[in-house]
Amino acid sequence: MRMVDIITKKRDGKQLSEEEIRFYVNGYVKGEIPDYQISALNMAIVFKGMNKEEICVLTDAMEHSGDTIDLSQIKGVKVDKHSTGGVGDKTSLVLGPLVASCGAKLAKMSGRGLGHTGGTLDKLESIPGMSVAISGERFIKQVQEVGMAIVGQTANLVPADKKMYALRDVTGTVESIPLIASSIMSKKLASGSDTILLDVKFGSGAFMKNIDDAKSLAKTMVEIGDGLHRDTRAIITDMTQPLGLAIGNNLEVKEAINTLHGNGPKDFVELCLRAGSIMLEQAKICKNEGEARKLLQQKIDSGEAFEKLCQFVEAQGGDVSYIRHPEKFEISSIIKDVVSEKEGYVSEINCLEIGESAMRLGAGRATMDDVIDMSAGIVLNKKVGDFVQKGEVLCKIYTNVKENESILKDIHDSFKITTNKIDVAPIVHDYIK
Ligand code: URA
């Protein structure tokens, strides 16, 4: 088999066979096929696409390019969720303890933040002592005993994706549904859970800028999961404005704690309850979403979900006193208000702009080597649809960056105020199963 024939076949819009797909994935991982041929093929896939059969084989070949995690020792249904990423997305910090307190087992591998999006691992590491690099043995024991663990990806999980993604990043081949779907799903499948819930976000702060692209990506990933016999479902959720109120690592952990105490922002609570209900249905703990929602609410009201967060933090070496007394978290040296210059309804909060501004305040990384300021970020006082008076606070910024005037101006300008009342779209736009 010759790589050049595979490239020209795809260039001409033809379907690749299973043998051809496995040949190029395995050959690339072994270093037998050079970057330039894989980038030419990826560019052909960007333009000509792949059908369902090809995408399933590609995902399967990538999933088995390295280690796969065996969770069979853990009793009960192992559930997983994945978000395509956004601004203020601290969902796993609430959803994990919520579903674990209901008896589901969450064995989750998460990622770090880059650019305008945050990452669960960084948020967890804002809790002093918290480790996200525990051994495989300890990971399994913890999920068994506590009901949940969230760690970084092991080194040899889907090496095909590590190599391929780095190449796509510098060859203009990230934006392709077959390539994104196989990249995400190969990692989720290799992580070994019985069920997967995908939170596919759309909007200025998301990877997919419009709803239609988000739906196509979600449908493709659900088809891959079904094709490879894993219960996979997806929700399509709004990232046209930040999720909840807090953006920035320890600020988001504090919001997660408040939410588990029953005091979360409306959109964030709704997302957690909806996603949690679907996960409990997938885990066969509840018969339907209505029953699941009641159970989740009960776990918040009784404090059991909050206690589960404490157990999880303690198991991974974190200092639980910060969870019980969030006032202990470090606070930035500079706190400033961003105020509205006019009266009206907030019609838009540019999510990409807010995410990038939070990064410039110290909350995120421009490159993987940057060091994060765990206390930096933004806390919104107003969301889309809210009425604001002239001079009223739109949001507060937390930073240790002294020269922050231009960042403040960009944050101010990312709020659009109109005289008309605004209809607020629901946080969960669609559900695909
Ligand atoms: N996230 C991934 O893991 N892979 C992609 O291709 C895009 C986003």
Side-chain angles (χ1 to χ4, degrees):
M1 209 172 283
R2 292 191 324 153
M3 187 60 196
V4 65
D5 299 329
I6 297 176
I7 298 168
T8 51
K9 192 171 177 189
K10 185 44 75 184
R11 182 202 63 195
D12 296 341
K14 298 200 179 107
Q15 178 178 344
L16 300 182
S17 69
E18 172 161 2
E19 291 69 33
E20 287 164 333
I21 294 171
R22 293 194 189 278
F23 169 82
Y24 89 73
V25 172
N26 294 337
Y28 188 48
V29 174
K30 284 191 211 144
E32 292 164 4
I33 297 172
D35 282 351
Y36 58 82
Q37 284 190 308
I38 296 294
S39 37
L41 176 64
N42 281 340
M43 191 56 90
I45 295 171
V46 168
F47 284 108
K48 301 291 176 171
M50 274 183 148
N51 66 20
K52 187 176 152 189
E53 225 176 306
E54 288 173 294
I55 301 174
C56 279
V57 174
L58 174 59
T59 307
D60 189 63
M62 288 172 60
E63 177 195 346
H64 293 99
S65 64
D67 299 340
T68 54
I69 313 286
D70 179 4
L71 300 175
S72 59
Q73 285 176 53
I74 303 168
K75 288 197 189 75
V77 181
K78 280 74 75 180
V79 296
D80 196 1
K81 59 86 58 175
H82 175 81
S83 154
T84 54
V87 179
D89 186 2
K90 70 288 291 175
T91 311
S92 295
L93 306 184
V94 171
L95 204 48
L98 257 179
V99 298
S101 68
C102 297
K105 305 285 186 202
L106 181 88
K108 183 162 169 51
M109 295 199 174
S110 275
R112 296 202 177 271
L114 186 62
H116 73 281
T117 62
T120 302
L121 298 184
D122 301 317
K123 291 168 204 186
L124 287 174
E125 281 179 347
S126 75
I127 304 164
M130 193 77 181
S131 167
V132 294
I134 60 178
S135 70
E137 220 170 288
R138 197 174 139 198
F139 178 67
I140 300 230
K141 190 164 178 276
Q142 185 181 317
V143 178
Q144 216 151 13
E145 289 172 1
V146 178
M148 68 173 291
I150 304 179
V151 297
Q153 255 180 44
T154 55
N156 198 35
L157 195 91
V158 194
D161 182 62
K162 283 201 185 82
K163 248 184 123 171
M164 198 91 84
Y165 194 83
L167 186 65
R168 286 168 55 210
D169 208 20
V170 292
T171 53
T173 51
V174 169
E175 289 80 3
S176 150
I177 286 182
L179 296 181
I180 298 172
S182 55
S183 161
I184 293 175
M185 285 301 289
S186 59
K187 288 175 284 197
K188 287 287 112 185
L189 291 163
S191 306
S193 285
D194 302 311
T195 74
I196 301 165
L197 176 64
L198 303 158
D199 177 359
V200 182
K201 299 194 177 291
F202 68 90
S204 62
F207 205 58
M208 293 287 144
K209 300 299 173 202
N210 66 63
I211 294 179
D212 291 341
D213 287 346
K215 277 190 191 166
S216 307
L217 176 63
K219 277 193 188 132
T220 305
M221 292 196 288
V222 170
E223 277 175 5
I224 296 174
D226 289 347
L228 298 172
H229 313 295
R230 211 72 72 88
D231 178 343
T232 306
R233 308 183 191 189
I235 46 176
I236 312 292
T237 70
D238 190 302
M239 191 38 75
T240 56
Q241 63 172 330
L243 179 61
L245 302 173
I247 303 120
N249 297 281
N250 78 21
L251 297 169
E252 291 188 45
V253 171
K254 285 189 261 187
E255 184 161 276
I257 294 168
N258 282 338
T259 303
L260 286 169
H261 281 312
N263 305 316
K266 205 165 138 237
D267 60 339
F268 180 50
V269 171
E270 174 56 25
L271 175 56
C272 292
L273 291 178
R274 187 76 203 273
S277 304
I278 296 170
M279 287 168 82
L280 291 186
E281 210 187 330
Q282 286 181 293
K284 301 198 170 37
I285 289 170
C286 294
K287 284 200 252 347
N288 54 50
E289 276 193 55
E291 186 187 306
R293 223 179 153 96
K294 274 196 206 125
L295 182 62
L296 291 167
Q297 192 60 55
Q298 216 175 305
K299 297 294 176 186
I300 296 177
D301 297 343
S302 66
E304 285 170 79
F306 171 75
E307 287 305 322
K308 188 56 73 182
L309 173 70
C310 295
Q311 286 170 27
F312 154 62
V313 167
E314 189 159 27
Q316 283 185 220
D319 184 343
V320 182
S321 70
Y322 283 75
I323 308 301
R324 297 200 181 280
H325 304 282
E327 66 281 2
K328 282 183 75 172
F329 277 103
E330 185 199 337
I331 296 175
S332 295
S333 60
I334 303 165
I335 303 173
K336 282 187 182 174
D337 291 338
V338 176
V339 297
S340 181
E341 282 165 9
K342 55 182 184 182
E343 176 183 296
Y345 294 92
V346 178
S347 62
E348 188 190 327
I349 304 173
N350 187 314
C351 202
L352 177 61
E353 193 64 64
I354 290 280
E356 282 177 350
S357 299
M359 178 188 81
R360 288 158 68 203
L361 291 170
R365 307 182 175 82
T367 74
M368 264 340 255
D369 302 325
D370 289 350
V371 176
I372 287 182
D373 173 354
M374 293 299 186
S375 65
I378 301 168
V379 177
L380 304 178
N381 203 38
K382 298 287 175 185
K383 296 265 293 183
V384 170
D386 288 349
F387 185 75
V388 58
Q389 308 268 6
K390 185 176 174 190
E392 213 183 340
V393 177
L394 292 168
C395 65
K396 272 185 191 302
I397 64 127
Y398 295 77
T399 191
N400 293 305
V401 174
K402 294 203 175 58
E403 301 215 342
N404 52 50
E405 285 312 315
S406 73
I407 311 175
L408 255 76
K409 180 174 184 320
D410 288 343
I411 293 172
H412 174 270
D413 294 348
S414 63
F415 283 80
K416 299 280 173 280
I417 314 284
T418 61
T419 48
N420 306 331
K421 232 178 160 168
I422 300 291
D423 286 333
V424 184
I427 184 78
V428 180
H429 179 84
D430 210 343
Y431 174 32
I432 294 167
K433 59 176 178 171

